[in-house]
Amino acid sequence: MLPGLSSADIFIPAATDRPARSQNYVILPDLRKMGKVYGNIRITDYSYDLPDERIARYPLPERDRSKLLVWDGKSITDTLFSEFPSYIGEDDLLVFNNTRVIRARLVFRKESGARIEIFCLEPHQPFDFAMNLSSPGKVEWKCLIGNLKRWKTGLLKTSINHQGSQVTLTAEKAGYEADSFIVRFSWDNERLAFADILTAMGHMPIPPYLNRDDEESDVTDYQTIYASVNGSVAAPTAGLHFTPAIFSALAEKGVQKSEITLHVSAGTFRPVKSELICDHMMHTEHFYITSEVLKTIRGKRITAVGTTSVRALESLYWLGIKAAEGLLTDESLPFVSQWDPYEHDPGTGTDASLGHLIRFMEDRGIDKIEAGTDIIIVPGYRFRLVSNMVTNFHQPRSTLLLLVAAFTGDSWKKIYHHALGSGYRFLSYGDSMLLRPV
C-alpha cells in the first residue's frame, strides 16, 4: 500500500467496475479466448522469495558506489555502477526520464484529532501537470484518501507557514472517478501556486515497502540529479545511481543522451492480484516527447534508463501505428491501451512508425506531444525501440518483473538468483543491473 495508508483505509474498485478511459481504449474481457500465450501467463511463475533484510531502506552515501550486475545475454558480471560508462558503446543513445517527484502526500488533522492523509495521484482540473502545479488559489486532483472512514463530509483545513506568512489550505471531496476521489484544494493566498503548497506542506511519497516515514534526506535521495519536470509520485529509480562523474565519463566517451518525460504513477506499486495476467488492469501514466527527441532516437541503438523510459519508448511505436491508421485525433489525448501491442502485428518497421508520428506532429505544427499509456509488457512482447536497459531489482509478482522477463526470457531467474546470492540490495534504493544482450 501507499505510505501512511492501510488497505482498510482505501477502497479501490475492481477492474470490472472501471469504465474505459478514452475512445481509443479497448477492454478485452478475456484474452484467453484469443488463444494468445500472453493472456495465459500466471503471475505465480514470476515470483521469488525476497527476504525483508534484502530491501534497501536507504540509499548508499555515494550513488555510484552501488553494485551493478551486467548481463550480456549469456553471462553475468558483478561490478560497481561507477564502471557503467565502460559498458556503454559510443554508438549507444542513453534515454533518461527527467520527471521530478513531487511532495504528493498531504496530511490534515480534524478537530477530533483524526489524521487524514490525501495522496495526490494526478491533476484533474486543470488537467495539464504544468498548468495545475502553477495554478494559484484552487486546483482539483485525483487522490487516494487514508482514514477515509473518519472523513465522511465537510471540509478539511490546515495552516501552512510559507516564508513567514500563514496560509490556510482547504480540502473538500468533489466527486469520484474510476478508482480515485476528486479532491478540490483551495488556499487564501493567490500569490502561491499549488507547487508552492506541496513544497511547504507535502511529504515525499517514498515506496510503501520501505516501511518507514519519509525523512528530510528523501527530498534529495528520492530524486534523480537530472529531474526537471514536476509530476511523478514515484521516482524513476534506475536513474538514482547516476552522478556528475558518470555523466562526465559518458561525455568524454562521446555517448549521446536524450530525455523524455513520463510521470510515474502510484500504480507502479500495485501488485498483480489476479492469477492470470489477462485479468490485471494496468495503471495509466502520462508522457511527453518533443519532435526533436523523436528525430534523435529514430534509427538509434537505445539504452533505456529505467522501466519508465522503456514504457514511454515502446509506447511511441504504437502511437506511430495509430497515426498511420488515422486513430489519432485532435479531440482526444493520444493513448496506448494495455493490450494494443498484442491485438495484431502491423508489420510496420520502427523507423516507419516513428516517421508517421513525426509527420502527425508536423501536420499540426506542434513540437511536443502528450500521450497516455496503459501498455503492459509481458513475455512474448517484441521490443521495437529498446536494445538495452538499466533497471533496479523489482518486487516479486509485479508487472515490472514481467517486463524484465519479457526482455531477458527465462534468464530473469538466473539473474535474480545470482543477485540474491551475491549480496545485492533490492528495490528502489537498492542496486541495479544493465541488461545488454549481444
Side-chain angles (χ1 to χ4, degrees), residues 15 43 52 59 72 102 104 134 149 159-160 175 184 222 226 259 275-276 302 346 349 371 386-387 394 397 425 428:
I43 194 60
D52 186 67
D72 65 5
I102 60 174
S134 62
K149 61 186 178 183
S159 182
I160 304 170
R184 181 179 299 120
Y222 197 56
Y226 50 83
E259 294 182 357
E275 180 183 2
L276 297 179
I302 294 175
V386 176
S387 298
H394 306 293
R397 302 171 65 96
R425 302 160 75 245
S428 292

Side-chain angles (χ1 to χ4, degrees), residues 21-22 96-100 120-130 132 141-142 177 179-180 229-234 236 260-268 282-289 307-313 315-316 319 332-336 368-375:
R21 279 164 286 203
S22 84
F96 297 86
N97 181 7
N98 63 12
T99 188
R100 183 174 179 82
C120 297
L121 299 177
E122 62 178 272
H124 182 256
Q125 184 62 37
F127 175 77
D128 179 78
F129 277 88
N132 189 293
W141 277 68
K142 297 178 182 179
E177 183 174 306
D179 56 359
S180 57
V229 183
N230 286 327
S232 277
V233 298
I260 58 174
T261 303
L262 181 141
H263 291 317
V264 190
S265 78
T268 192
M282 281 294 285
H283 54 284
T284 299
E285 291 177 321
H286 295 265
F287 68 96
Y288 307 76
I289 191 166
T307 55
T308 62
S309 296
V310 173
R311 290 192 80 209
L313 288 165
S315 295
L316 290 174
L319 282 185
S332 62
L333 182 77
F335 196 86
V336 178
K368 183 171 77 170
I369 191 169
E370 175 188 0
T373 183
D374 276 2
I375 194 172

Side-chain angles (χ1 to χ4, degrees), residues 16 19 22 56 72 101 141 145 158 169 198 255 279 289 320 412-413 423:
T16 52
S22 84
D72 65 5
V101 182
W141 277 68
I145 300 173
T158 191
L169 174 67
L198 293 178
V255 177
D279 296 322
I289 191 166
W412 77 267
K413 298 175 184 177

Side-chain angles (χ1 to χ4, degrees), residues 52 298 339 346:
D52 186 67
R298 193 176 178 186
W339 298 110

Side-chain angles (χ1 to χ4, degrees), residues 200-403:
M201 177 185 173
H203 293 259
M204 287 296 283
I206 59 173
Y209 47 67
L210 295 186
N211 289 321
R212 63 174 176 84
D213 291 332
D214 65 302
E215 301 176 11
E216 189 60 31
S217 60
D218 293 308
V219 173
T220 53
D221 288 344
Y222 197 56
Q223 201 84 264
T224 65
I225 64 169
Y226 50 83
S228 60
V229 183
N230 286 327
S232 277
V233 298
T237 55
L240 296 179
H241 306 278
F242 284 83
T243 63
I246 296 289
F247 281 124
S248 294
L250 290 169
E252 289 177 10
K253 200 170 183 178
V255 177
Q256 287 184 286
K257 62 184 179 72
S258 280
E259 294 182 357
I260 58 174
T261 303
L262 181 141
H263 291 317
V264 190
S265 78
T268 192
F269 299 127
R270 182 187 296 160
V272 179
K273 295 183 178 180
S274 56
E275 180 183 2
L276 297 179
I277 196 62
C278 62
D279 296 322
H280 176 74
M281 177 172 277
M282 281 294 285
H283 54 284
T284 299
E285 291 177 321
H286 295 265
F287 68 96
Y288 307 76
I289 191 166
T290 65
S291 57
E292 179 182 358
V293 171
L294 267 175
K295 293 172 183 177
T296 298
I297 67 178
R298 193 176 178 186
K300 295 292 175 51
R301 178 178 172 83
I302 294 175
T303 296
V305 178
T307 55
T308 62
S309 296
V310 173
R311 290 192 80 209
L313 288 165
E314 292 299 315
S315 295
L316 290 174
Y317 174 84
W318 298 101
L319 282 185
I321 297 303
K322 287 178 179 285
E325 297 176 351
L327 296 177
L328 296 189
T329 69
D330 297 326
E331 287 73 38
S332 62
L333 182 77
F335 196 86
V336 178
S337 75
Q338 177 166 339
W339 298 110
D340 275 345
Y342 308 91
E343 292 175 31
H344 72 288
D345 187 340
T348 303
T350 301
D351 187 74
S353 177
L354 294 184
H356 289 305
L357 187 55
I358 290 169
R359 282 190 291 275
F360 174 84
M361 296 172 67
E362 291 176 343
D363 289 345
R364 286 153 182 77
I366 57 176
D367 59 8
K368 183 171 77 170
I369 191 169
E370 175 188 0
T373 183
D374 276 2
I375 194 172
I376 185 170
I377 297 177
V378 301
Y381 178 85
R382 182 159 70 91
F383 287 82
R384 311 287 179 150
L385 276 81
V386 176
S387 298
N388 315 304
M389 73 172 74
V390 186
T391 185
N392 282 16
F393 294 91
H394 306 293
Q395 290 177 290
R397 302 171 65 96
S398 66
T399 56
L400 299 180
L401 183 57
L402 285 170
L403 185 153

